[in-house]
Each structure stands twice: as structure tokens, then as C-alpha cells.
Amino acid sequence: MSARVLDGTAIAAEIRAELKEQVAALGFTPGLAVVLIGDDPASSIYVRSKVKACEELGIASTEMRPDANLTTEDLLAIIDDLNGRDDVDGILVQLPLPKQVDTKRVLEAMLPSKDVDGFHPVNVGKLWTGQDCLTPCTPTGVIEILRRSGIATAGAEAVVIGRSDIVGKPVAAMLLQANATVTICHGKTRDLAEHTRRADILVVAIGKAGFVTADMVKPGAVLIDVGINRVSDAADVERFFPGDTKRAETFAKRGSVVMGDIAPEAFAVSSAYTPVPGGVGALTIAMLMHNTIKAAKLRRGQQ
Ligand code: NAP
């Protein structure tokens, strides 16, 4: 039987439609402030997509673009102002920040109730202690994909490769909260494949193209690929995607293709998997919108 594709784009569209209805029924307009420093093209594209998503859903967005030379103190003053603004429910500081700015101090200066990225230590602590809170967008998207695809987590062996604060750790906490038996693997893990071959649900967030191969996967496992990698070597493209004319065309046109951390050959032994692109990544902005609405409701004492 062929593996089921867990279509992140379709799930994200479903979530956005639900959120649009929710916003229309709120009786007030939630507000998101996005702070972008500098002119990194990738960050600018992300911010534009976030602002556009707000417009679609009826969320007010404020885009702030302070000068790239600002100091930590300058940015702390901006955060302080946004913390106090009644029209701002969520604050998002687009990372990475310039080298001279202390990212930790900036993230910790944000009111936890407005921290729609879920990176503030108060929200991290609440997540690990099973309290309702704002949770990081990408891991929240992973859980939504599993839930909306009817994949049972209770009692499942879940293995997460990667232990970053942004993806690996929070996704592990959320799987634990969803009653999975969770193993977290990382760069120092011995016999990695011994762990991954036990997984009913394997979440991979390491940032290495095609790292997980078919022999590392238990037949019938569910594969969640968080990795986003640009492959610009023609031999790699041919190795990972033999006979894939669409990818070959993309490569010929752009000089690279995007793929995840899981080699496509591994998808063939799974029961279901998230593609890259069009899987986990497709949900991230929808989950940011979800968090903004959640923050807006919580601030007004609504569930
Ligand atoms: P990161 O901070 O670089 O963390 C990578 C993790 O992978 C580390 O914990 C590292 O272990 C582990 N790792 C690296 N090589 C390994 C190996 N050979 N065996 C086992 N573990 C290994 O990366 P990240 O921010 O979590 O991002 C991971 C990937 O997800 C990237 O491709 C990123 O682009 C993607 N991503 C996607 C989204 C989205 O879909 N919207 C959002 C965020 C990230 P150590 O801790 O031991 O070094």
C-alpha cells in the first residue's frame, strides 16, 4: 500500500478558513506587531507573508522596521512600547537579530501574554508543566497535522531528532502532552538508527538534506519532516529524486531544489509522511495567526 501524503497546504487552508470565521465572530480586531530589523531578503519575504495572512483573516498588523544599527536598548524600548499598547495582542520579533543585539534579553522583555512565537521562558515553562500557553508555531503545526490526520499519539513511540529550542524540544514536549512515549535524539546520540527504527512517529528537525534513509525507518511509521534544505548539487538531486522530471525541471530553472531531512526513499516504507515543501512549513504562518487570536482572547479573559 502506498504511503499517505499529509498535505500541509490543505490543512493550513482549512485552519485559516476556521480562523477567519473566529475573527469575524470576535467583536473586536486582534492585532499583531511584527518587528523586522535590517533588510535580509528571506526575512522580508517571511514578514510580508505574515502581514498578508493577517489581512486575509481580518487581523490588524503593524510592521516596524527599525534601523539595522539599533542597540539592544533601542529594541527593548520598542518592545516596552508594544507591551503597553492596547491595540497589540501579539508581538513577533523576526529572527535572527543583528549581532550587536542581545536576542535573549529581547525575547525575555516581551510580555509572555503577547509572545506569539512561544519562546519566552514563562511560556516554555508552562508548556513543560502542561499548562495552557502560547506554544511555538512550527511544533504546534506538527501536532495539528497529526491531530487533523487522525494519527493517534497516545501510547505511540515518538522519536524526535533535533533538540533546538525552536523545534525539537517544544515538539517533544507537545508529543509528551499528547501521551506519546517520547525519545529525543541529537548530535551526540549513539546508535541513532536503533532509536529511529522503534518510532511509530518520527519527527526530524536537523537541517541535513535527506539524512534519514529507508533503513532507519520502521515499516508503517508516520514521518514528519520539519527540515528545509536547499540542494544545489546536481548529483544530489539525481541521487535523491531519480527519474523525478518535475524536480529536474525546477533544478534546471533555479539551480537548486528544496527538500527535507528525510530521503524520499524512506517515505516509501512509511504509512504517511509530510512532504517538503507543502508539509510542516505550510502550517507555520497559520499557527502564528492562531496564536495571535488566542493571545487576543486570553487578554480579554475569553477562552
Ligand atoms: P538547529 O537549531 O540547527 O538544530 C538542529 C538539531 O539537529 C540539533 O539539536 C542537532 O544536535 C541535531 N542534529 C544535527 N545533526 C545531527 C545528526 N547527524 N544526528 C542527530 N542529530 C543531529 O535547527 P532547527 O532550528 O531546529 O531547524 C531544524 C530544521 O528545521 C532546519 O532545516 C530548519 O530550516 C527547519 N525549520 C523549519 C521550520 C518551518 O517549517 N517553518 C521552522 C524552523 C526550522 P545537537 O544539539 O547535538 O547539535
Side-chain angles (χ1 to χ4, degrees):
M1 216 175 68
S2 65
R4 177 159 62 123
V5 179
L6 306 174
D7 184 346
T9 309
I11 295 173
E14 190 179 292
I15 294 171
R16 280 180 200 223
E18 291 169 12
L19 294 176
K20 194 170 178 174
E21 276 182 23
Q22 268 188 41
V23 174
L26 279 177
F28 62 87
T29 305
L32 174 69
V34 183
V35 184
L36 171 63
I37 296 132
D39 48 14
D40 174 53
S43 297
S44 297
I45 292 170
Y46 291 144
V47 167
R48 217 173 307 136
S49 316
K50 288 167 184 173
V51 169
K52 199 165 147 256
C54 284
E55 281 167 11
E56 266 173 42
L57 266 55
I59 295 172
S61 64
T62 310
E63 198 182 330
M64 314 197 72
R65 285 181 163 251
D67 192 88
N69 298 321
L70 93 175
T71 63
T72 301
E73 301 306 325
D74 296 333
L75 189 49
L76 289 175
I78 291 172
I79 300 294
D80 190 46
D81 175 55
L82 294 173
N83 278 343
R85 267 174 63 172
D86 202 41
D87 61 330
V88 172
D89 295 295
I91 306 170
L92 183 139
V93 177
Q94 186 68 45
L95 302 178
L97 293 176
K99 275 198 290 290
Q100 78 275 12
V101 177
D102 184 338
T103 302
K104 195 162 160 275
R105 272 185 75 197
V106 169
L107 295 182
E108 290 184 6
M110 218 177 276
L111 274 181
S113 56
K114 294 193 177 189
D115 165 39
V116 284
D117 252 339
F119 295 155
H120 192 287
V122 166
N123 284 319
V124 176
K126 283 188 171 184
L127 172 61
W128 281 100
T129 51
Q131 300 177 61
D132 190 27
C133 62
L134 295 167
T135 53
C137 299
T138 300
T140 310
V142 169
I143 299 299
E144 277 298 302
I145 290 178
L146 294 172
R147 196 172 68 77
R148 289 175 186 253
S149 307
I151 292 161
T153 47
E157 285 283 343
V159 175
V160 178
I161 320 182
R163 57 172 162 179
S164 72
D165 293 335
I166 294 170
V167 188
K169 282 180 199 157
V171 91
M174 285 181 216
L175 285 164
L176 185 61
Q177 191 62 26
N179 295 318
T181 302
V182 184
T183 305
I184 308 175
C185 300
H186 46 78
K188 302 281 187 290
T189 297
R190 272 187 278 125
D191 302 327
L192 182 65
E194 289 291 311
H195 296 283
T196 60
R197 275 197 288 265
R198 278 193 296 103
D200 301 314
I201 299 169
L202 179 61
V203 181
V204 191
I206 58 179
K208 289 186 176 160
F211 178 84
V212 171
T213 45
D215 58 317
M216 297 169 72
V217 173
K218 174 162 111 176
V222 173
L223 301 179
I224 305 292
D225 194 348
V226 185
I228 301 176
N229 309 290
R230 198 163 283 284
V231 179
S232 48
D233 183 331
D236 282 341
V237 176
E238 182 49 33
R239 180 164 63 90
F240 287 126
F241 305 101
D244 184 336
T245 49
K246 210 166 148 222
R247 299 261 178 173
E249 273 171 30
T250 306
F251 184 75
K253 205 157 58 179
R254 301 197 186 138
S256 66
V257 296
V258 171
M259 71 175 291
D261 291 342
I262 303 180
E265 57 160 39
F267 296 147
V269 300
S270 73
S271 60
Y273 69 92
T274 58
V276 178
V280 174
L283 262 85
T284 299
I285 291 181
M287 298 331 295
L288 172 67
M289 299 297 113
H290 166 271
N291 276 356
T292 304
I293 297 164
K294 182 174 178 174
K297 284 181 174 173
L298 287 174
R299 218 156 62 81
R300 288 164 182 80
Q302 299 179 16
Q303 277 302 313

